DNA sequence: GCCAGTTATACCAATAGTGAACCAATACAA
DNA sequence: TTGTATTGGTTCACTATTGGTATAACTGGC
């Protein structure tokens, strides 16, 4: 018996620094960290990733070399996700109402696809994102975790076109033009209400109830749209 | 003991090192180990394959000689195999079924938005596109006019995010991977049927009947999806 | 016996990562 | 304006891991 034929391939181990750089890079690409936003401090990142600050610095060095972030001593590390000046960022020419209209178009069927295609592993990821979302008290971290939560649902469709669409939606959602609105809209009560919807949605996903999941998302977005046009 | 093994194979038995090299080579070609990624350490591979490190080194030497991996002392063994698609076009990794799932998600609500936001000028443009579409007999020009027709509806929403989404959908639809399918699917009868749906859709848009327009699009796409999965 | 392939072991040099300390630039509040 | 806290920038010695190399012994087929 030849061991080379039967042995399962061992998983690759990426270097810690490059692995962290990759994770941060995709987070920026997904709009989880938005253009101009400050990343957590090196020491905080080292704590979050359970590694030394030196490793975090090596990872950030990679991002800095590819001009994804810029750093200033005493100030922090900032995302510099610059778009072409001629090709204006889609996020800058999309209004909140236009965004929510697109979300109403996309998300109900998206969660339907997610209920059909999500693996247990996907559901685990979504659950983790939901837990993090529910335990984040400030509007700042809430919106970030909210984007992670929804993106993980989009990824659960395993439809590359859908994933790329939702990445773009998240990019628009994360644009700084709404950072002012955020603190006004996201009261504690509003976040509680959102979390209720999120939990319901997750449970519908978990039991593969596509109709309920789609209904929850649709009513969630339609009330958000009403709030937008009535204020 | 397997009786099939008692008679020696005509080909000389490959040594363990060659077998492992082959296994790793196909793993890299299959994308199990991705470009730029680090392979497990030699000692880990030796452990996984239950062979000595010398054998693993012999196998890696083969891969290194064929420029599939590069190695750095103290760092590791890294895959250097550009799949020739470092930035894979979204059109190339999207299947027909995945595309139609996204269209089912987007288009019904898109035509709703179009019925609400379309100006008379938009309707004129859509009408012109429809006329050109109906008078195009070959599959080649039909698909081009079909994209123009649908894009003009997307533009009629006056929602920049929606327009950009549909541009991407059209980009995927226009990819060369479908061109083979086109001539087979687009019989004269099929084009007539499509044109009937298009004309109905246009009339629903013209009288601002959002429900009918959405229904027409949805049933149109769902029958297309059925044809896709049943053939 | 010969020989190629494999095993087992030991050691080396290169590299990544750790943990700590300290400096300099910045932000913010008293 | 002045402290004070926080941030990135730098350096250090140390440890763990990695590929590189060499050597001796074992194995099975010729």
């Amino acid at each position: 018996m030849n061991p080379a034929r039967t042995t399962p391939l061992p998983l690759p181990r990426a270097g810690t620094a490059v692995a962290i750089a990759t994770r941060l890079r995709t987070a920026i690409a997904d709009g989880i960290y938005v253009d101009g936003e400050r990343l957590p401090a090196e020491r905080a990142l080292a704590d979050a990733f359970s590694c030394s600050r030196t490793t975090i610095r090596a990872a950030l060095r990679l991002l800095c070399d590819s001009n994804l972030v810029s750093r200033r001593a005493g100030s922090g590390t900032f995302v510099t996700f610059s778009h072409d000046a001629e090709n204006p960022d889609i996020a800058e020419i999309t209004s909140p109402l236009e965004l929510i209209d697109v979300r109403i178009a996309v998300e109900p069927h998206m969660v339907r696809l997610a209920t059909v295609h999500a693996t247990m592993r996907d559901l685990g990821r979504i659950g983790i994102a939901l837990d993090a979302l529910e335990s984040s008290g400030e509007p700042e971290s809430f919106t970030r975790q909210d984007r992670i939560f929804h993106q993980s649902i989009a990824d659960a469709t395993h439809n590359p076109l859908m994933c790329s669409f939702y990445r773009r939606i998240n990019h628009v959602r994360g644009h700084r033009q709404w950072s002012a609105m955020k603190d006004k809209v996201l009261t504690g009560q509003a976040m509680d209400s959102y979390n209720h919807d999120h939990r319901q949605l997750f449970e519908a996903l978990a039991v593969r109830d596509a109709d309920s999941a789609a209904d929850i998302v649709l009513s969630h977005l339609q009330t958000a749209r009403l709030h937008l046009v009535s204020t």
Side-chain angles (χ1 to χ4, degrees), chain A residues 98-142:
Chain A
E98 288 166 341
L99 171 65
I100 216 157
D101 277 339
V102 170
R103 291 186 63 193
I104 287 175
V106 171
E107 293 199 32
H109 195 69
M110 182 183 89
V111 298
R112 282 185 179 278
L113 292 175
T115 55
V116 176
H117 290 111
T119 63
M120 284 309 290
R121 195 180 182 128
D122 293 322
L123 290 176
R125 266 194 288 263
I126 297 171
I128 290 172
L130 179 56
D131 291 340
L133 174 56
E134 284 175 339
S135 62
S136 59
E138 318 154 281
E140 179 71 24
S141 64
F142 184 85

Side-chain angles (χ1 to χ4, degrees), chain A residues 16-193:
Chain A
T16 313
V18 285
I20 291 173
T22 305
R23 285 187 59 177
L24 290 176
R25 204 191 320 270
T26 61
I28 291 173
D30 288 357
I32 290 167
Y33 291 121
V34 190
D35 184 28
E37 191 176 354
R38 205 193 78 181
L39 290 187
E42 292 179 353
R43 292 163 176 86
L45 284 174
D47 197 50
F49 283 105
S50 300
C51 66
S52 75
R53 194 180 149 218
T54 313
T55 307
I56 293 294
R57 285 187 58 78
L60 290 179
R61 174 75 174 266
L62 293 174
L63 296 186
C64 200
D65 287 346
S66 45
N67 290 325
L68 274 175
V69 300
S70 74
R71 338 178 60 189
R72 284 200 307 279
S75 181
T77 304
F78 298 86
V79 178
T80 57
F81 194 63
S82 62
H83 293 260
D84 295 342
E86 309 106 37
N87 273 357
D89 189 347
I90 188 77
E92 296 188 357
I93 58 173
T94 300
S95 72
L97 190 57
E98 288 166 341
L99 171 65
I100 216 157
D101 277 339
V102 170
R103 291 186 63 193
I104 287 175
V106 171
E107 293 199 32
H109 195 69
M110 182 183 89
V111 298
R112 282 185 179 278
L113 292 175
T115 55
V116 176
H117 290 111
T119 63
M120 284 309 290
R121 195 180 182 128
D122 293 322
L123 290 176
R125 266 194 288 263
I126 297 171
I128 290 172
L130 179 56
D131 291 340
L133 174 56
E134 284 175 339
S135 62
S136 59
E138 318 154 281
E140 179 71 24
S141 64
F142 184 85
T143 53
R144 190 192 337 284
Q145 293 298 335
D146 189 53
R147 289 202 295 273
I148 294 175
F149 174 71
H150 284 92
Q151 183 67 53
S152 65
I153 294 176
D155 290 339
T157 66
H158 294 278
N159 185 319
L161 190 57
M162 183 62 82
C163 295
S164 88
F165 273 21
Y166 208 83
R167 235 167 284 270
R168 184 169 287 208
I169 286 178
N170 258 342
H171 174 243
V172 176
R173 289 183 70 193
H175 194 265
R176 60 176 175 279
Q177 69 173 7
W178 291 321
S179 51
M181 214 172 88
K182 204 164 44 191
D183 293 326
K184 200 157 193 172
V185 173
L186 282 181
T187 62
Q189 193 179 359
M191 287 193 284
D192 286 346
S193 164

